[in-house]
Amino acid sequence: MREDDETGVYAISVAAEMVAMQVQNLRVYERRGLLEPDRTAGGTRRYSRADIRRLRRIRDLLAEGLNLAGIERVLALEAELERLRLENQRLRRAQTAR
């Protein structure tokens, strides 16, 4: 993931429109810890490209019938899977370098 994917640039209204959600839903997802947008010095939320991808994933999981607790668990498991995948790659490279 590129560094600029993590930089918050989209206002909440723009982010909500990009993912076809209501602004209040984005606030709920933040309160539930499903995402953490950047904040300006004045406290305004700024959503990154990575946040937009995460919101789309949340939207898709909601469409599949999961509740927010289920979505939280799925997102945590997906993050753990990615961490383990990267660790596996690192170990394989170290093994072949011997």
Side-chain angles (χ1 to χ4, degrees), residues 30-41:
E30 182 182 358
R31 276 195 305 273
R32 293 292 302 264
L34 297 177
L35 76 158
E36 190 175 335
D38 289 340
R39 296 278 185 153
T40 65

Side-chain angles (χ1 to χ4, degrees), residues 89-98:
Q89 282 180 347
R90 185 189 67 76
L91 292 170
R92 286 176 186 255
R93 280 193 301 268
Q95 183 69 25
T96 59
R98 289 184 182 177

Side-chain angles (χ1 to χ4, degrees), residues 41-74:
T44 303
R45 292 170 179 88
R46 291 285 184 228
Y47 292 83
S48 67
R49 289 182 191 151
D51 292 328
I52 299 300
R53 281 194 302 275
R54 190 168 182 92
L55 285 166
R56 287 184 177 130
R57 182 66 177 136
I58 291 168
R59 181 196 60 204
D60 294 346
L61 291 169
L62 284 167
E64 291 178 22
L66 274 72
N67 62 22
L68 293 183
I71 290 171
E72 183 177 5
R73 187 68 182 132
V74 166

